[in-house]
């Protein structure tokens, strides 16, 4: 069934209501929804020429029954997907990947200066005192960074190295301090995962904790 045949009963009913016998040109433009437009031009009494352009909500008045993909502004019907020809033309745009650490400007680490060192409380159900610091990076941006490990020597004006990495139970903390770099010392007496906390073997060998562990091994043997 053509569009003209579908619109014919609606046009006749409208003419009967308005007692109009001659309708030369009808130009209807829908401005109720800004992202869409609907322009319809008819020639009466012959319906040989009919041009309909629509890309959004349904037109108002007698043209509300157009059999196209027109919807009201409050319709919950999902918008149809792109057709195959539209995909071939390249209508789909690739999704841009959002950086998890935008303050670093694409760098793996950034140097910064501590402005304030303080503690915060984590989200439920955890309960602790998380050590964090507010750092001004060389890019001029100020971020909130977490200080990993047990104990630290950071204070105001300390120069630190900041990397990306969020803390799951601390909202707003999306960066971490690199231990053992610049003014930040490594974790003392760390025996496992030392590379993540900046603990050197030479420092560990000279510590009292390592000597105590070695004495315990000899005693147990």
């Amino acid at each position: 069934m053509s569009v003209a045949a579908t619109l014919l009963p609606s046009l006749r009913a409208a003419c009967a209501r308005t007692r109009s016998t001659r309708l030369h040109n009808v130009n209807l433009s829908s401005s109720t929804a800004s992202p869409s437009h609907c322009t319809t031009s008819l020639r009466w009494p012959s319906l040989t020429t009919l041009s309909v352009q629509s890309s959004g909500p349904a037109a108002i008045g007698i043209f509300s029954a157009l059999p196209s993909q027109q919807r009201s502004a409050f319709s919950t019907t999902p918008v149809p997907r792109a057709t195959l020809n539209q995909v071939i033309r390249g209508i789909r745009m690739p999704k841009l990947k959002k950086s998890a650490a935008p303050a670093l400007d694409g760098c793996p680490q950034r140097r910064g200066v501590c402005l304030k060192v303080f503690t915060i409380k984590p989200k439920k159900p955890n309960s602790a005192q998380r050590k964090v610091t507010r750092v001004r990076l060389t890019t001029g941006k100020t971020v909130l960074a977490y200080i990993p490990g047990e104990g630290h020597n950071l204070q105001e004006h300390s120069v630190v190295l900041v990397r990306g990495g969020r803390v799951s139970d601390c909202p707003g903390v999306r960066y971490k301090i690199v231990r053992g770099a610049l003014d930040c010392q490594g974790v003392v007496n760390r025996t496992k995962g030392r590379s993540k906390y900046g603990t050197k073997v030479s420092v560990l060998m000279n510590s009292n904790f390592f000597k105590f562990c070695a004495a315990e091994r000899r005693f147990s043997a």
Side-chain angles (χ1 to χ4, degrees), residues 41-87:
S41 61
L42 299 175
R43 186 172 299 171
W44 185 263
S46 63
L47 292 176
T48 56
T49 59
L50 177 64
S51 62
V52 177
Q53 296 177 355
S54 176
S55 65
I60 59 176
I62 61 176
F63 303 104
S64 60
L66 286 176
S68 60
Q69 298 172 352
Q70 298 173 348
R71 297 172 178 83
S72 64
F74 303 99
S75 175
T76 58
T77 305
V79 179
R81 299 181 182 273
T83 62
L84 180 60
N85 289 333
Q86 291 173 339
V87 175

Side-chain angles (χ1 to χ4, degrees), residues 13 18 20 23 26 31 55-56 78 84 95 97 99 105 107 111 113 127 139 148 151 155 162 192 201-202 216 219-220:
T18 57
S20 174
L23 179 61
V26 177
S31 61
S55 65
L84 180 60
K95 292 184 179 179
K97 184 179 179 180
S99 175
D105 291 346
C107 297
R111 180 170 50 88
V113 179
S127 178
T139 57
Q155 56 185 355
V162 179
K192 296 181 179 179
V201 178
S202 59
E216 286 290 332
F219 179 77
S220 62

Side-chain angles (χ1 to χ4, degrees), residues 9-37:
S10 300
L11 291 175
R12 288 178 178 175
C15 292
R17 287 195 303 268
T18 57
R19 298 176 183 274
S20 174
T21 58
R22 297 183 62 185
L23 179 61
H24 296 285
N25 294 316
V26 177
N27 293 324
L28 180 61
S29 177
S30 175
S31 61
T32 57
S34 57
S36 62
H37 66 277

Side-chain angles (χ1 to χ4, degrees), residues 98-134:
K98 184 179 179 181
S99 175
L104 300 182
D105 291 346
C107 297
Q109 298 94 18
R110 282 282 186 176
R111 180 170 50 88
V113 179
C114 294
L115 303 179
K116 182 181 179 181
V117 181
F118 55 100
T119 60
I120 59 176
K121 293 182 179 181
K123 297 191 302 183
K124 291 183 179 180
N126 296 342
S127 178
Q129 295 291 329
R130 306 293 189 208
K131 281 73 176 178
V132 296
T133 175
R134 186 174 292 112

